[in-house]
């Protein structure tokens, strides 16, 4: 059973468009992370959010942690082909459970020129 | 720093064979983990370790063994490979919340 549900599963957009990816759960997480994975490689951490309601910006990427710490979203503004990849959210149930994250199934994003 | 290294990169086994996937990190991280990634399933935790000599089971531990004799190394052993273990395996190390993943081992069990 997947604790973290990601939607949509697949997203294909044109360069310059905006997109939002969602990560939802019925469980409360101490913190939530977003990773991007490219083909043939391991996931790479983009951001960690730890406070309910927190918003973090990383250039054109905006991450939000829900007030109840059960959900998160990733918004990309003016997407570029380099944003193509599998976006994974991962949650830590407690502050000392970094070694055992719960992952969502991922959203495959394809940005075409 | 090499980060997290995994060997081999690719492996084909026959049902019933055993093998060890190697994982090493040179960042002196306390936490190390093994995940498997299957299409549509995301990453699922197999085993993890919070330090040398300490290991524990994750979500899908059956058919796998681990040990952690040193901080640097965390090998994953498949005792008797089954087709259901066909997957991509990732090792990760972490400290202060940031997980660093290795490049993965793609395993096929025939």
């Amino acid at each position: 059973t997947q604790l973290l549900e990601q939607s949509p599963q697949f997203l294909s957009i044109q360069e310059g468009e905006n997109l939002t990816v969602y990560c939802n759960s019925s469980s409360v997480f101490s913190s939530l992370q977003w990773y991007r994975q490219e083909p043939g490689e391991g996931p790479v951490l983009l951001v960690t959010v730890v406070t309910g309601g927190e918003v973090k910006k990383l250039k054109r990427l905006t991450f939000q942690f829900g007030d109840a710490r059960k959900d998160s979203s990733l918004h990309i503004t003016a997407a570029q082909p380099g944003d193509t990849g599998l976006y994974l959210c991962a949650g830590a149930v407690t502050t000392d459970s970094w070694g055992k994250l719960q992952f969502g199934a991922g959203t495959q994003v394809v940005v075409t020129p | 720093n090499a980060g997290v290294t995994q060997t081999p990169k690719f492996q084909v086994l026959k049902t019933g064979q055993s093998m060890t996937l190697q994982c090493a990190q040179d960042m002196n991280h306390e936490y190390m983990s093994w995940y498997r990634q299957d299409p549509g399933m995301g990453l699922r935790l197999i085993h993890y370790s919070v330090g040398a000599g300490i290991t524990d089971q994750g979500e899908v531990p059956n058919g796998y063994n681990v040990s952690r004799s040193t901080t640097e190394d965390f090998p994953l052993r498949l005792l008797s490979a089954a087709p259901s273990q066909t997957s991509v395996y990732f090792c990760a190390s972490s400290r202060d919340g940031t997980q660093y993943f290795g490049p993965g081992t793609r395993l096929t069990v025939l």
Side-chain angles (χ1 to χ4, degrees):
Chain A
T1 304
Q2 209 91 39
L3 277 185
L4 287 166
E5 299 289 338
Q6 288 190 242
S7 61
Q9 288 184 310
F10 182 82
L11 199 53
S12 180
I13 61 171
Q14 298 277 350
E15 182 176 2
E17 294 182 336
N18 301 333
L19 69 98
T20 302
V21 175
Y22 299 93
C23 176
N24 295 298
S25 175
S26 58
S27 301
V28 175
F29 288 93
S30 170
S31 61
L32 206 136
Q33 298 182 323
W34 284 92
Y35 292 80
R36 181 168 64 214
Q37 184 179 20
E38 299 191 16
E41 298 180 7
V44 175
L45 180 66
L46 296 174
V47 77
T48 301
V49 286
V50 298
T51 305
E54 181 177 5
V55 177
K56 278 192 175 179
K57 293 193 174 185
L58 188 68
K59 297 183 180 178
R60 294 175 294 100
L61 278 62
T62 301
F63 305 86
Q64 184 162 9
F65 200 12
D67 291 340
R69 308 217 307 271
K70 293 183 178 181
D71 55 85
S72 182
S73 63
L74 156 62
H75 181 79
I76 301 179
T77 303
Q80 299 177 359
D83 295 323
T84 293
L86 179 68
Y87 288 82
L88 297 156
C89 66
V93 175
T94 62
T95 54
D96 62 350
S97 60
W98 294 117
K100 44 181 179 174
L101 294 177
Q102 300 277 352
F103 278 84
T107 294
Q108 180 65 52
V109 172
V110 175
V111 183
T112 53
Chain B
N1 282 356
V4 179
T5 58
Q6 290 184 241
T7 55
K9 198 159 179 64
F10 299 95
Q11 184 70 50
V12 178
L13 292 178
K14 293 182 180 178
T15 296
Q17 287 185 315
S18 63
M19 79 159 296
T20 299
L21 307 185
Q22 302 292 344
C23 174
Q25 53 98 3
D26 60 359
M27 297 174 282
N28 200 33
H29 286 170
E30 299 168 348
Y31 291 103
M32 294 188 75
S33 311
W34 275 103
Y35 294 88
R36 60 178 288 174
Q37 186 174 33
D38 303 292
M41 302 286 289
L43 282 87
R44 291 183 292 168
L45 183 66
I46 305 171
H47 286 284
Y48 66 97
S49 169
V50 299
I54 306 170
T55 64
D56 205 347
Q57 296 180 350
E59 182 185 352
V60 287
N62 291 342
Y64 308 95
N65 273 359
V66 292
S67 60
R68 183 115 179 254
S69 56
T70 66
T71 300
E72 294 78 20
D73 300 299
F74 191 43
L76 177 72
R77 282 181 285 277
L78 280 71
L79 307 174
S80 177
S84 61
Q85 293 179 304
T86 293
S87 187
V88 182
Y89 291 84
F90 288 99
C91 177
S93 71
S94 58
R95 189 179 204 176
D96 299 331
T98 300
Q99 290 234 16
Y100 297 85
F101 284 85
T105 294
R106 185 173 293 273
L107 175 68
T108 301
V109 183
L110 303 175

